[in-house]
Amino acid sequence: PVTSPEELTALQGQRNPIVAAAIHARMLVFAEARFLWQPFQDGRPGRLFGNQELALLEQPWTNATTGDLLARMLVDADLYGNSYWVKMQERNSAHLMRLDPNRVMVLTGEVNDEQTGRAWGRHLLGYAVMDDNRQEVTMFTPEEVCHFKPLPDPEHDFRGRTWLTTVMSDLEADNE
């Protein structure tokens, strides 16, 4: 059963052949990017280079490449608006683990004026991973999570939104 608007958007988007083709085309281009360093000297860019610090991005999990990571991130962002990743350390190696966007809750708190006590903003507290019953399984601090959200949600400062929300009415009409 569909339990959230994000799941509904993702399911509707995946089932539409035009949307699926757009997601696929975007993913093919995005997944070609590579992570490299570039020094600057006297305001001028130097030669691109890689080093061991980029190893986790070059092989994010067993038998995966940078392209695999970027493809998964963009598909999550296209369908759900957000992609969440945490670094897992096991024995002498590290790998990235994807958190299911349907199960992640962004936790925020109010920022209050010290003199008046009135709220004037919000700040990011962390990320909770929920189970099927919407019960918290685990929590991560903001520093522990790589949160990719290319399209900011105007209703929530710390969440992204899918581009599908802008075409949902057309999508529903096409599907009918």
Side-chain angles (χ1 to χ4, degrees), residues 99-142:
L99 303 178
D100 182 348
N102 283 322
R103 295 179 183 263
V104 176
M105 182 180 295
V106 179
L107 306 173
T108 62
E110 286 186 349
V111 176
N112 296 311
D113 182 271
E114 289 182 22
Q115 295 176 359
T116 65
R118 286 187 273 172
W120 60 269
R122 301 197 70 74
H123 64 100
L124 180 63
L125 296 173
Y127 300 86
V129 178
M130 314 304 273
D131 65 15
D132 289 335
N133 299 319
R134 303 304 286 169
Q135 299 296 312
E136 183 181 306
V137 175
T138 191
M139 272 188 57
F140 296 99
T141 65

Side-chain angles (χ1 to χ4, degrees), residues 9 12-13 16 19 164 167-176:
T9 301
Q12 288 173 314
N16 183 289
V19 170
L164 292 176
V167 297
M168 282 309 291
S169 57
D170 291 337
L171 225 166
E172 289 170 5
D174 287 351
N175 288 339
E176 302 248 343

